[in-house]
């Protein structure tokens, strides 16, 4: 039994909702609408995370000053930082919340689209929603998969550029001040923007459609929430 079997009640609910919407519109469009509806419901968390990240950017000079002041007293530094974030009602972990909340939803959708069910019998421009790209045949099916993968790649490029720009801004900020040591593998974070493209090669067309919808939503949401020029954290580009 798969460990994801514990999600079966949620999967059954998601299946019922998508199937109900599919009575009114094509199943592929029902998947898109369901994904958008869930992401819209999660939008308040993304807004809260953006506020937290902007607060962190605003407090960066004060954090650097505390790091210089208490560089030989790690325990005092931790206390001072905790007090600063508490006074400003900010959190150094605010950006993690939307990612963590999306994990269960992603798991449910993965289970729904990789377990045989009647939704996968429907088609997207002639491509069965249960078909993997490796099983495509004919110019029409290859064209549909090509558009889906091109869309995922475009989203990956947008996120990659934003992540690289954010990393460059962070590196150039406050020259000469003490900064935390880079986390192991931090330089690879921008490249994780293309993770969905690789993952899409392993899942059926329905899951690829979900990944593309979620990716476009996330990219547009970040552009809106950070339209004031605040750099988007590189860690927020994945997922």
């Amino acid at each position: 039994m798969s460990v994801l079997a514990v999600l079966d009640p949620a999967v059954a609910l998601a299946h019922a909702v998508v199937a109900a919407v599919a009575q009114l519109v094509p199943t592929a469009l029902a998947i898109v609408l369901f994904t958008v509806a869930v992401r819209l419901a999660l939008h308040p968390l993304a807004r809260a995370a953006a506020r937290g990240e902007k607060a962190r950017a605003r407090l960066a000079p004060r954090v650097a000053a505390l790091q210089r002041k208490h560089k030989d007293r790690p325990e005092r530094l931790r206390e001072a930082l905790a007090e600063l974030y508490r006074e400003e009602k900010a959190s150094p972990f605010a950006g993690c919340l939307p990612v963590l909340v999306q994990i269960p939803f992603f798991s449910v959708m993965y289970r729904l689209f990789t377990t045989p069910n009647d939704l996968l019998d429907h088609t997207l421009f002639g491509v069965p929603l249960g078909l993997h790209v490796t099983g495509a045949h004919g110019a029409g099916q290859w064209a549909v998969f090509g558009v889906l993968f091109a869309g995922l790649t475009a989203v990956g490029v947008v996120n990659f550029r934003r992540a690289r720009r954010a990393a460059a801004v962070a590196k150039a900020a406050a020259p000469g001040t003490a900064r935390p040591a880079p986390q192991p593998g931090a330089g690879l974070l921008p490249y994780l923007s293309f993770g969905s493209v690789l993952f899409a090669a392993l899942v059926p067309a329905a899951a690829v459609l979900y990944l593309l919808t979620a990716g476009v939503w996330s990219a547009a949401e970040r552009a809106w929430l950070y339209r004031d020029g605040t750099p988007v954290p590189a860690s927020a580009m994945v997922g």
Side-chain angles (χ1 to χ4, degrees):
M1 178 183 295
S2 170
V3 294
L4 294 180
V6 297
L7 299 173
D8 283 352
V11 173
L13 177 61
H15 177 277
V17 173
V18 175
V21 178
Q23 297 297 316
L24 305 174
V25 299
T27 301
L29 180 56
I31 292 172
V32 171
L33 294 177
F34 180 70
T35 303
V36 169
V38 173
R39 295 304 298 268
L40 185 60
L42 296 177
H43 181 67
L45 293 177
R47 291 179 66 87
R51 286 195 298 270
E53 292 296 345
K54 291 176 183 180
R56 288 180 61 190
R58 186 183 73 252
L59 296 175
R62 296 172 64 182
V63 170
L66 288 174
Q67 289 173 337
R68 291 194 302 271
K69 181 178 179 180
H70 302 295
K71 62 181 180 180
D72 297 323
R73 294 182 293 172
E75 185 63 30
R76 182 68 188 97
L77 174 60
R78 284 193 292 270
E79 294 174 357
L81 289 176
E83 181 179 355
L84 173 63
Y85 284 120
R86 184 168 56 252
E87 290 176 352
E88 297 292 333
K89 296 181 174 58
S91 170
F93 307 108
C96 301
L97 185 58
V99 175
L100 294 177
V101 173
Q102 288 174 37
I103 291 175
F105 174 60
F106 173 81
S107 300
V108 167
M109 300 301 281
Y110 173 81
R111 179 78 170 170
L112 177 61
F113 296 140
T114 57
T115 302
N117 63 77
D118 57 308
L119 294 177
L120 302 183
D121 295 332
H122 294 267
T123 62
L124 171 65
F125 298 113
V127 175
L129 293 175
L131 184 69
H132 289 68
V133 64
T134 53
H137 58 84
Q141 292 189 352
W142 280 111
V144 172
F145 274 110
V147 170
L148 292 175
F149 276 80
L152 285 173
T153 302
V155 171
V157 169
V158 170
N159 290 336
F160 176 81
R161 289 178 175 175
R162 285 179 178 165
R164 289 291 294 270
R165 186 162 56 247
V169 169
K171 185 176 181 181
T177 62
R179 290 192 297 270
Q183 295 298 316
L188 297 177
L189 276 177
Y191 294 94
L192 294 181
S193 302
F194 298 103
S196 59
V197 181
L198 300 177
F199 185 73
L202 306 176
V203 294
V208 180
L209 184 60
Y210 156 71
L211 289 171
L212 178 57
T213 304
V216 170
W217 175 276
S218 295
E221 185 176 61
R222 290 172 191 138
W224 171 256
L225 292 176
Y226 294 91
R227 63 190 182 279
D228 60 355
T230 302
V232 185
S235 58
M237 293 298 178
V238 296

